Amino acid sequence: MRVLVVEDERRMAAALQRGLQAEGFAVDLAHDGEEGLHLARVGDYDVVVLDIMLPRISGYNVCKQLRAEENWVPILMLSAKDGEYDMADGLDLGADDYLTKPFSYVVLVARLRALLRRGANRRPAVLRAGDLTLDPARRRVSRGQQPIELTPREFALLEYLMRHHDEVVSKSEILEHVWDTFDTDPNVVEVYVGYLRRKVDAPFSRNALQTVRGAGYRLAGDGG
C-alpha cells in the first residue's frame, strides 16, 4: 500500500516514514503543500497523511483542491490544532479522518488501515445535482447563481436527498437520518418535501424532488 506523508517537520516526517515502512507501507514524503498537492495528483496513492499547517499551500487547501478535481484518495489530516471547529473544517472540506498532535502511533496505523478498507469512494465537499448545489461547510444552497434560504431542517433533508441522488429513499429512512427518530409522524416528511419543492423547484420550473408512489422520494441527479 502506497502512502503519501505531507509534513513540514522533517524529523516527524522521517519518523512517520520509518514507522510506516516497518508496518509494510511504501511511503513518499513531501515537506510543503505545493509539493504534496503535485505528488497526490500524479501518484497512485492509497492514502494521504496530510498536515494542516504547511508552507506554500495549507493542508486545508490541498484537500479542498484535490476534492474539487474529483480526486477521492482517502485523506487523514494531522494537526496541532485541536479545536472542534478546526476538526469540522477539515472534515467538511473532504478529509476522511483527523488526528491531533501528539497522537498515538498505534492509533494512527489503525486509522490508516480503516481508511484503506473503505477505499477511495466519491465524497464531494460540495454536493451537486445539475445546477442545484449544497455546501455543507458554509451552509449554502443555490440554483445556478441564485441563493436559496432554507431552515436547518430543510437543509438537512435536502443534504440527505442529495447524498442519495437518483436513489429512492423511504419516509422511515428519512426520519431516521434527518429527524434521528422513528417516533415522529411520517407525514412530517411529506410536509417538509413540500416546503423544499416550493423553494428549490417551483421558482425555477424544475422537478428535482420526485415522489415515488408507495416507496418514498427521489432527488433527480440532473437537478430536474
Side-chain angles (χ1 to χ4, degrees):
M1 293 293 182
R2 296 188 65 207
V3 179
L4 173 63
V5 174
V6 189
E7 168 61 67
D8 62 320
E9 284 188 50
R10 291 179 180 268
R11 289 178 62 185
M12 175 173 281
L16 284 171
Q17 185 177 44
R18 288 193 301 271
L20 291 174
Q21 286 175 339
E23 295 287 338
F25 295 100
V27 184
D28 291 336
L29 297 181
H31 298 296
D32 62 64
E34 187 175 284
E35 181 186 14
L37 179 59
H38 170 70
L39 289 177
R41 281 169 166 164
V42 302
D44 185 19
Y45 294 102
D46 297 290
V47 66
V48 174
V49 178
L50 178 65
D51 189 34
I52 289 178
M53 304 298 288
L54 293 169
R56 297 189 179 178
I57 305 175
S58 74
Y60 286 137
N61 285 329
V62 171
C63 180
K64 182 179 180 180
Q65 186 61 40
L66 289 173
R67 297 308 188 230
E69 296 169 4
E70 299 195 350
N71 184 327
W72 309 116
V73 60
I75 294 174
L76 186 150
M77 281 190 163
L78 295 179
S79 178
K81 303 172 75 173
D82 60 357
E84 60 183 16
Y85 291 105
D86 299 312
M87 185 180 298
D89 286 342
L91 297 173
D92 279 337
L93 286 171
D96 300 272
D97 205 349
Y98 189 107
L99 268 181
T100 56
K101 300 176 183 178
F103 53 84
S104 162
Y105 181 73
V106 173
V107 171
L108 170 66
V109 172
R111 291 195 177 189
L112 288 178
R113 294 198 187 282
L115 290 179
L116 290 167
R117 286 195 295 271
R118 289 182 223 161
N121 297 315
R122 179 182 174 87
R123 48 198 176 281
V126 177
L127 308 179
R128 302 181 188 279
D131 64 347
L132 179 63
T133 62
L134 182 148
D135 186 335
R138 294 179 174 82
R139 311 295 293 180
R140 293 177 183 168
V141 176
S142 62
R143 270 276 190 196
Q145 301 301 313
Q146 180 66 43
I148 300 172
E149 295 294 327
L150 299 180
T151 67
R153 187 73 72 187
E154 291 166 352
F155 188 96
L157 175 57
L158 182 61
E159 180 178 357
Y160 182 72
L161 292 170
M162 290 185 72
R163 289 191 184 279
H164 297 272
H165 65 79
D166 289 327
E167 300 176 19
V168 177
V169 292
S170 67
K171 287 183 179 180
S172 62
E173 288 173 313
I174 292 172
L175 284 175
E176 179 184 2
H177 291 277
V178 178
W179 273 264
D180 194 26
T181 180
F182 290 107
D183 297 332
T184 304
D185 185 346
N187 289 327
V188 74
V189 176
E190 185 176 342
V191 171
Y192 272 84
V193 168
Y195 292 160
L196 276 182
R197 282 181 174 138
R198 288 195 285 274
K199 292 184 177 182
V200 305
D201 277 348
F204 307 93
S205 301
R206 301 297 186 86
N207 184 33
L209 284 161
Q210 302 166 358
T211 299
V212 181
R213 193 170 299 279
Y217 300 95
R218 176 175 54 221
L219 188 134
D222 63 2

